[in-house]
Amino acid sequence: IQTRRADPWAEIRIADTGCGIPEAIRDRIFEPFVTTKEGRGGTGLGLAISLDIVRAHGGRMHAAPGPGRGTVVRVQLPASGGGR
């Protein structure tokens, strides 16, 4: 987990070293009910709800493959507190 100020944003980066996001669903991971945990109890709501919360505060959220493997999620919120 890393934080930094990247004006006009406050940025939080969360990286893991897991198996990454399958390319087949990479463009859909923020949609409700999209999950990589088939048969393991995943509902596919976590990232969709997280994105809604971030947007409600005037921010944005991105996910990309990490260096080598894993995933990096970047949350950007207005540094000025300019959300709703």
Side-chain angles (χ1 to χ4, degrees):
I1 297 174
Q2 297 175 323
T3 60
R4 71 183 185 121
R5 182 140 181 178
D7 282 328
W9 305 102
E11 185 174 278
I12 305 154
R13 294 170 60 111
I14 301 119
D16 70 24
T17 58
C19 61
I21 301 167
E23 190 171 339
I25 65 165
R26 197 168 289 153
D27 293 337
R28 300 179 41 235
I29 62 168
F30 294 108
E31 294 177 16
F33 308 111
V34 173
T35 182
T36 60
K37 298 178 182 174
E38 299 296 331
R40 294 186 290 149
T43 61
L45 292 174
L47 285 175
I49 292 169
S50 297
L51 180 59
D52 285 346
I53 292 167
V54 168
R55 284 182 174 164
H57 290 280
R60 55 192 187 185
M61 194 167 163
H62 308 276
R69 55 186 268 176
T71 303
V72 177
V73 176
R74 185 177 61 191
V75 177
Q76 295 175 306
L77 297 168
S80 64
R84 293 182 215 165

